[in-house]
Amino acid sequence: MLDEGQLLSHRTGQIDASGIRRAFQLGAQLENPINLSIGQPHFPVPDPLKTAAIEAIQSDSNGYTLTGGHPPLRSSIESMLQEDIGWDFTSDDVDFMVTSGTSGALVLAAWAMLDPGDEFIIPDPFFVIYPALGPMTGATPVYCDLYPDFRMTADRVEPLLTPKTKIVMVNSPANPTGIVLTDEEMRDLAELCRSRGVLLLSDEIYDLFTYSAARDARDRAPSPALHGQDMLIVRGFGKNYGCTGWRLGFAAGPTWLIQQMIKFQQYSFVCAPSMAQHAVMAAHQVDMSPWVEAYEHKRDLVLKHLAPVTNVAAPEGAFYAFPEVPASLGMTGTQFTESLLDHNVIAIPGGVFSNRDSHMRISYATEDEALEAGLKAIAQAMKG
Ligand code: PMP
């Protein structure tokens, strides 16, 4: 008999994945739920991408690719990045790589940079993988408390920097709050990290889904990449094009770091899925703006229903809102989301994404009709 207590690593005990699993298990008991818990777009993958994936498989492009990415996809990412953030990848200073999802890039960066005893600063509330990079590497996540407006400003980060800090992680548009930092806020973070010799890691997976008022002078998501190159920019295809299961992202940053991440990819993921790499080569030519506009409208619906009954920081991108459970109810986020199951609505308690359990995450990536029905039920429940 194998003794799991003796065989499993200590780090397994330091990662708690129970929150989201519990939300899914509870939801699975409902017949026809209004599901506002899903962290992916509800639209289908654009046809040109589907066709390209099928063609890649049928033309036998199913083998390993180069570790850093299939060269034609690399060319497409290179020109897109050059046009977007102006980085010149013909220089020796910066490089990029294709990764197995954005998560793949985050894990590779953590492996390449973090030792036991190191610290890395993450937002609170956070995307669930961020704190887990601690147990995976032995480093300590340091939480930057962003309540109540959820803006990760340099002023909030600065007091948390210590000689042990190696990375500051910023996520904009943010999961679970939808907050988008301004160009100025990004510049200040970039300058702070540079002046303290710390790597700024910018997770920009939702970049395309940045709503009109939050877009910068380029009409795009503000990025620290416009204020230097001594940082790691992580982006993905999954959320922007509805292909989360294809596991495709990329990371751009200092060559010394990308080279080490490629080494770890070689001995772990090996390469990103080959047919997906073929499929997304033309992604940047696909016009997603109708979906971005549709989601901006859904964001407006969320505010219309919830702003009158609770505190909710207006989301500026992604497809999430993070309203507070009104204090007058005397309920935690977990208690409130469990009570919503009686109204056939699934949402995720804020405690899954935070050291506090005072809020809840709503994903509005769903049909308007279901969304409005869900929002009405939540607003009713919030009124008590
Ligand atoms: N970063 C953030 C902020 C996310 O919300 C997610 C997915 N929920 C990821 C990274 C991981 O994305 P991927 O599926 O590309 O690994």
Side-chain angles (χ1 to χ4, degrees), residues 39 100-104 106 127 129-130 171 173 175 203 205-206 236 238-239 244 247-248 320:
S100 285
T102 308
S103 312
L106 295 172
F127 166 49
I129 284 182
Y130 299 167
N171 171 218
N175 177 8
D203 179 347
I205 185 170
Y206 298 98
K239 311 281 182 178
T244 47
R247 313 304 310 130
L248 215 53
Y320 309 111

Side-chain angles (χ1 to χ4, degrees), residues 75-284:
S75 305
S76 140
I77 293 173
E78 180 172 347
S79 38
M80 183 277 294
L81 281 176
Q82 187 145 26
E83 189 238 305
D84 181 0
I85 57 174
W87 287 18
D88 174 12
F89 292 98
T90 59
S91 101
D92 289 339
D93 300 339
V94 281
D95 201 355
F96 68 99
M97 66 184 294
V98 179
T99 56
S100 285
T102 308
S103 312
L106 295 172
V107 170
L108 294 174
W111 281 339
M113 290 189 62
L114 297 175
D115 284 320
D118 292 340
E119 293 177 357
F120 61 105
I121 296 174
I122 63 172
D124 178 354
F126 45 75
F127 166 49
V128 290
I129 284 182
Y130 299 167
L133 297 172
M136 285 187 210
T137 57
T140 305
V142 173
Y143 298 90
C144 183
D145 187 311
L146 304 184
Y147 290 82
D149 60 5
F150 306 122
R151 307 197 75 82
M152 189 153 172
T153 58
D155 284 350
R156 281 178 169 155
V157 171
E158 210 268 343
L160 304 174
L161 291 167
T162 77
K164 294 178 181 168
T165 313
K166 281 195 168 169
I167 303 177
V168 172
M169 292 189 180
V170 63
N171 171 218
S172 168
N175 177 8
T177 62
I179 293 300
V180 176
L181 295 187
T182 63
D183 179 52
E184 217 170 46
E185 287 169 328
M186 287 297 198
R187 185 203 57 203
D188 291 351
L189 275 178
E191 281 175 5
L192 173 67
C193 289
R194 183 179 310 119
S195 72
R196 302 292 285 266
V198 168
L199 183 97
L200 180 62
L201 191 165
S202 179
D203 179 347
E204 306 181 355
I205 185 170
Y206 298 98
D207 61 338
L208 215 53
F209 283 79
T210 301
Y211 303 126
S212 40
R215 293 199 284 263
D216 64 10
R218 297 136 60 230
D219 200 30
R220 297 189 183 180
S223 169
L226 300 166
H227 302 286
Q229 303 190 335
D230 40 8
M231 59 186 72
L232 191 71
I233 304 299
V234 172
R235 293 189 182 175
F237 294 93
K239 311 281 182 178
N240 288 347
Y241 299 97
C243 55
T244 47
W246 285 1
R247 313 304 310 130
L248 215 53
F250 54 94
T255 301
W256 53 262
L257 176 56
I258 297 291
Q259 288 311 314
Q260 296 307 319
M261 289 169 64
I262 288 179
K263 192 167 80 184
F264 279 110
Q265 174 137 291
Q266 193 179 335
Y267 288 136
S268 56
F269 302 94
V270 181
C271 64
S274 59
M275 80 300 185
Q277 291 195 56
H278 283 79
V280 300
M281 263 185 275
H284 299 110

